[in-house]
Amino acid sequence: MPVVTGTLAVPGAVLHHRTEGTGPLLLIAQSGEGDADRTVDLVPHLTDTYTVLTYDRRGLSRSRLDHPERGASLAEHADDVRRLLEAVADGPALMLGCSFGAVIGLHLAARWPGLLRTLIAHEPVAPGLLAPAEAARHRRELLALQELYRRGGLAAVLPEIARVLGIDPTAADAEPGLTPQPVDARRAAGFDRLVRHDFTAVVEDVLDHAAVRATTTRIVPAAGRTTPPAVFDRRCAQALGALLDTPVELLPGGHNGNTSHPRAWAARLKRLLPQAS
C-alpha cells in the first residue's frame, strides 16, 4: 500500500505526517523521541485494517519550528494533533498514544472528545495522575534527569531514563526480525528535544481529571506486561485506570512494547479497537 506523506502548518511549526493503509483512521502518537517512523515494524501489521497516521511532533525530525529553542506545552502538542485530525480525518478517529503520546491523547480526549472514538493510553507519563507526594517525587526525578543531561550528555542520561521508566536495555524479550533503530544523529537530536523541552512540559502539565473522566472518548488504560508495577509510567497507567474505573490492559513487552513486540501488539490492538467505521 502506498505511503502518503505531507506537511501541515500549525501555529509556530510545520508538522510532517504520513498515512498508510485502508480502513478507519488510527493515529499513533509516539513515545519519547519517537518520530513518524518509530513504529516501522508495527504499522505494516495494522494497514490491512486501519489507515495509520503517524507524525513528527513539533521539534522532532522533519517537523520544522519557527523558533527552535522554544519549548511547547502538552496543551500545544494536543492542539497540533487536533489540527492534524481536522485536516486528515473525515470523522472521529482512533488513537494509540504511547508514553508522552498517551498524555497528548488524554488532553485531546478531555478538550475535544468528538475527535476520538477510542484512545489506548499506554503508560502515560503524567505525574498529575498520581497522589501529590508521589507526583512531586517524579517531577523531581525528571528535573534531575535534565540536570544530568546538561552535565553528562546523552550517554549519562539514557541509562537513568531507562531506570525511571522501568526499561531493561539488556532484556532479550523481543520478537525476531526487528528493524535496527540505533541512536543515530536524528534520534540523538530527538532525545535532546525530549529531555530539554518535553520533560519540562511533563513537569508543568496540568491535566483536567474531571474532563478526562467525563469525556465521551472511550479511554483504554494500558501498560507493558513486563514493566515493573512500582515504576513511574506503570503507576500512571494504574492511576488512570482508577480515575476511569477501568481495568488496565496489559500488552506484550514493557514500556517500548510497540517496538519490541510489534506483531503481538498489532493483534491485541485489533481486539481492543473498532475495525469498521
Side-chain angles (χ1 to χ4, degrees):
M1 297 178 186
V3 176
V4 178
T5 61
T7 58
L8 177 71
V10 297
V14 175
L15 304 179
H16 168 87
H17 58 87
R18 54 174 281 163
T19 55
E20 182 179 3
T22 183
L25 187 71
L26 169 60
L27 166 69
I28 300 178
Q30 313 282 10
S31 61
E33 88 300 348
D35 61 17
D37 304 328
R38 177 70 168 149
T39 41
V40 62
D41 294 319
L42 173 63
V43 169
H45 299 289
L46 296 170
T47 52
D48 61 337
T49 306
Y50 305 104
T51 299
V52 182
L53 168 64
T54 58
Y55 75 109
D56 297 351
R57 284 199 319 268
R58 61 167 62 218
L60 295 184
S61 299
R62 294 145 295 199
S63 287
R64 304 186 303 276
L65 290 170
D66 292 352
H67 303 286
E69 285 306 307
R70 181 186 177 277
S73 67
L74 272 153
E76 288 174 295
H77 283 297
D79 188 64
D80 287 348
V81 173
R82 172 186 70 85
R83 294 170 186 272
L84 181 58
L85 288 177
E86 288 178 345
V88 174
D90 58 4
L94 309 172
M95 182 171 178
L96 166 64
C98 299
S99 190
F100 193 87
V103 191
I104 293 174
L106 291 174
H107 276 271
L108 198 70
R111 296 172 63 191
W112 301 285
L115 288 178
L116 297 178
R117 283 195 286 161
T118 298
L119 164 67
I120 297 179
H122 187 265
E123 300 192 4
V125 285
L129 288 169
L130 304 171
E134 186 178 5
R137 176 165 62 85
H138 290 303
R139 290 187 176 105
R140 289 195 298 271
E141 276 186 324
L142 294 174
L143 293 173
L145 289 172
Q146 287 182 317
E147 178 58 28
L148 178 61
Y149 180 66
R150 282 191 286 269
R151 289 188 284 106
L154 199 55
V157 81
L158 279 181
E160 284 302 296
I161 292 175
R163 180 189 62 78
V164 168
L165 296 177
I167 300 168
D168 181 0
T170 66
D173 179 28
E175 294 176 355
L178 300 178
T179 302
Q181 298 199 37
V183 182
D184 56 13
R186 185 164 74 172
R187 284 193 71 194
F191 274 116
D192 179 78
R193 183 79 189 177
L194 171 70
V195 177
R196 291 197 302 117
H197 295 295
D198 290 338
F199 277 14
T200 300
V202 172
V203 168
E204 296 178 348
D205 187 39
V206 178
L207 186 63
D208 187 336
H209 289 196
V212 170
R213 191 185 299 111
T215 184
T216 56
T217 298
R218 171 178 168 252
I219 299 176
V220 180
R225 191 176 301 279
T226 62
T227 302
V231 300
F232 171 41
D233 40 321
R234 180 71 176 265
R235 292 280 300 133
C236 290
Q238 292 165 345
L240 178 61
L243 176 69
L244 300 173
D245 194 22
T246 301
V248 176
E249 294 285 341
L250 296 181
L251 303 188
H255 187 69
N256 291 322
N258 57 328
T259 58
S260 66
H261 294 74
R263 297 173 188 87
W265 261 57
R268 286 295 304 279
L269 291 174
K270 288 176 182 179
R271 292 198 292 272
L272 292 171
L273 292 169
Q275 295 189 26
S277 299

